[in-house]
Structures are given as C-alpha cells and as structure tokens.
Amino acid sequence: MTDRPLTLMAVHAHPDDEATGTGGVLARYAAEGIRTVLVTCTDGGCGDGPGGVKPGDPGHDPAAVALMRRQELEASCDVLKVSDLEMLDYADSGMTGWPSNDAPGSFWQTPVQEGAARLAELMRHYRPDVVVTYDENGFYGHPDHIQAHRITMAALEMTALTPKVYWTTMPRSMMQRFGEIMREFHEDMPEPDPAEAAAMAEIGLPDDEITTWVDTTAFSGQKFDALAAHASQGENIFFLKMGDEKFGELMGMETFVRVQDATGAAIPENDLFAGLR
C-alpha cells in the first residue's frame, strides 16, 4: 500500500477545454478525494480579445489575451476544485488553416518528442492512475487537440507508466440531440451543406462503442460555472446559451473510450477508477 493519493490527470489543449469535456469528472473526483491534475498545453492566445475582437483583427493582442485566459483558467479550476494546474504555455496554434498554425513556437509546430518530454516529467512527478486526453483526431480535428493527443501518448511510452488511459468522446445520440437544441436556439440556422453534414456525422462514436459512461449530473452546476468563468470566450461557448437547467439535462453524462488498462475492469464501466479502488 502507498500513501500516494489516487490521481487523475487531464491533458487539454486550451483554457476552457477542461470544462467542456471533463468538467464533470474533474469536479466529481475532486469531491471524492482524488487528486485532480490539469495540464493545459497552450496559452489560448488565439481566443477572442476584450470586446470580442477576433484573432488577426486590429487590436487583437495575443499576449494580453493569453494573460486574460490564464486568469479565467485559474477561476475555472477553483470552481472545479482542481488540485494542481500545470501550464505548458505553448503558443495557441489557432483553428485549422490559420496562419498561426505555421508560426514558430506554436504548439502545432513543436516537435512531438519535445512536448512529450515535458509532459513525461509531469507524469513522473504526479504518477497518475488515470490519464484523459483526446483521440487521434482531437475529437473534431483542431490542430492543438491533435497535438495534445500525440504528446500524451508519446509521454506515456516514455514513462512506461501503466495508468488507465481514456480518450474523450461523445455518443452519436447526444450529437443528434445537440443539433436539435442548436436549431431550437437558432430557428433561422441554415441547413449545413452535404459535406459539412457528413463531417458532423463522423464526430463522436456510435453509442455501443463507448466504453465508459460517467454520471456527473450532481456536478453539472459546477461544470456550467467553470465554463462561465471563461467569460471572454462566451460568444464561442454555445453551451452557456442553454442556461444552467438545460445544460444540466444535456451535459450530465461524460463519455470516454478506454484505450489502456491494467486492471481488468469490465466494460462498459461507469467509473474512470473502476478496478483501482
């Protein structure tokens, strides 16, 4: 036996990502006495600036945006009771096709082994029992999400640790429900073109391919408040437009695919720490 606490490590790309896909599990496991470690890979400098000014527009200052988003991230972590926040502070690469993708020092341009070595040091320090990150497509193809996946999986190889490893995902049934709710909120929203609709249909997984369903309904209020802490990005965070009641109905279950396990815990499972306690 050891006095080391059970530890969850979530590796995310930007400030606010921690709340969207894993805010519920971070809050739930913190409440259960589990140490929660959040690693945020980029500074979020490609987010909206004060007044909603967009990247590339006059008056957008990536350094100022990064500072503001760091403060919002710390506020979100306070809401979720995250035990430890670690920032890798790579420059935000922006969305696919943006010039910032090619900027020297951006996360997307960072050699995978370099980022993985830094993350591996954190893994050796915290020795997580569970690691959560994105799948190989970063869930929806964002360059920084893909890079976070790559450095996480490479860091796990470097450390030879054997935690349970999960990739965030969403059941297709929930994606369909999201589409219905978006149309409720935006009655004039045009139908997507066939190519866009086909791409959207590939996001997430069929329900029966999801290995892990974690009920975080009791913590949906914290999750909503954590997202709201990222006030500067509110225009981009659709979930906040639902209001906390509708949000709780839709976002009370967080879902994952288990990709590494040494416990033999049966799947489907309803606890990231199944087989560890």
Side-chain angles (χ1 to χ4, degrees), residues 7-11 26 35-39 82-84 86 126:
T7 300
L8 166 65
M9 175 179 282
V11 183
L26 287 168
R35 180 170 60 178
T36 52
V37 180
L38 170 63
V39 181
V82 169
S83 308
D84 299 271
E86 298 284 355
Y126 289 107

Side-chain angles (χ1 to χ4, degrees), residues 3 38 110 116 143 156 186 209 211 225 245:
D3 292 332
L38 170 63
T110 299
L156 286 164
H186 303 282
E209 293 183 21
T211 65
D225 290 346
E245 184 175 345

Side-chain angles (χ1 to χ4, degrees), residues 29-275:
Y29 290 122
E32 294 179 7
I34 288 170
R35 180 170 60 178
T36 52
V37 180
L38 170 63
V39 181
T40 301
C41 296
T42 79
D43 61 10
C46 285
D48 288 357
V53 62
K54 302 296 182 184
D57 287 350
H60 187 276
D61 180 350
V65 171
L67 177 60
M68 176 177 62
R69 298 196 71 185
R70 170 64 183 255
Q71 294 166 344
E72 291 175 341
L73 178 60
E74 291 173 351
S76 172
C77 287
D78 286 344
V79 170
L80 298 173
K81 309 301 182 188
V82 169
S83 308
D84 299 271
L85 170 62
E86 298 284 355
M87 298 283 291
L88 298 186
D89 269 333
Y90 289 108
D92 190 342
S93 310
M95 300 295 284
T96 301
W98 288 11
S100 48
N101 293 176
D102 300 320
S106 71
F107 190 38
W108 185 239
Q109 292 299 317
T110 299
V112 169
Q113 293 302 301
E114 176 189 320
R118 293 182 61 197
L119 181 57
E121 284 303 304
L122 294 175
M123 288 181 174
R124 293 186 187 103
H125 174 72
Y126 289 107
R127 301 191 66 80
D129 301 280
V130 172
V131 172
V132 175
T133 193
Y134 315 101
D135 63 20
E136 62 269 22
N137 191 46
F139 184 60
Y140 68 99
H142 193 297
D144 287 331
H145 290 223
I146 294 170
Q147 189 76 327
H149 163 86
R150 290 173 176 172
I151 73 163
T152 301
M153 302 313 291
L156 286 164
E157 289 187 14
M158 288 179 179
T159 59
L161 297 174
T162 56
K164 298 180 79 177
V165 180
Y166 294 88
W167 296 343
T168 57
T169 191
M170 192 170 289
R172 296 265 169 84
S173 60
M174 190 179 294
M175 290 298 298
Q176 181 178 354
R177 180 65 180 135
F178 273 140
E180 294 168 358
I181 289 176
M182 287 184 74
R183 283 187 285 275
E184 288 175 18
F185 278 85
H186 303 282
E187 294 180 359
D188 58 346
M189 187 172 72
E191 289 293 324
D193 64 49
E196 184 180 346
M200 287 294 293
E202 292 301 312
I203 294 178
L205 289 173
D207 292 33
D208 60 2
E209 293 183 21
I210 292 173
T211 65
T212 310
W213 303 69
V214 184
D215 185 356
T216 62
T217 305
F219 303 93
S220 60
Q222 278 175 263
K223 182 172 178 175
F224 184 87
D225 290 346
L227 273 171
H230 296 280
S232 69
Q233 309 306 305
E235 181 181 332
N236 303 317
I237 303 176
F238 165 75
F239 307 111
L240 295 176
K241 298 176 174 66
M242 300 179 186
D244 53 3
E245 184 175 345
K246 178 73 75 173
F247 179 88
E249 292 174 12
L250 190 64
M251 302 292 286
M253 185 73 70
E254 292 185 350
T255 50
F256 307 85
V257 174
R258 193 175 81 190
V259 295
Q260 181 172 309
D261 173 64
T263 69
I267 53 175
E269 59 187 0
N270 59 12
D271 178 10
L272 297 179
F273 288 84

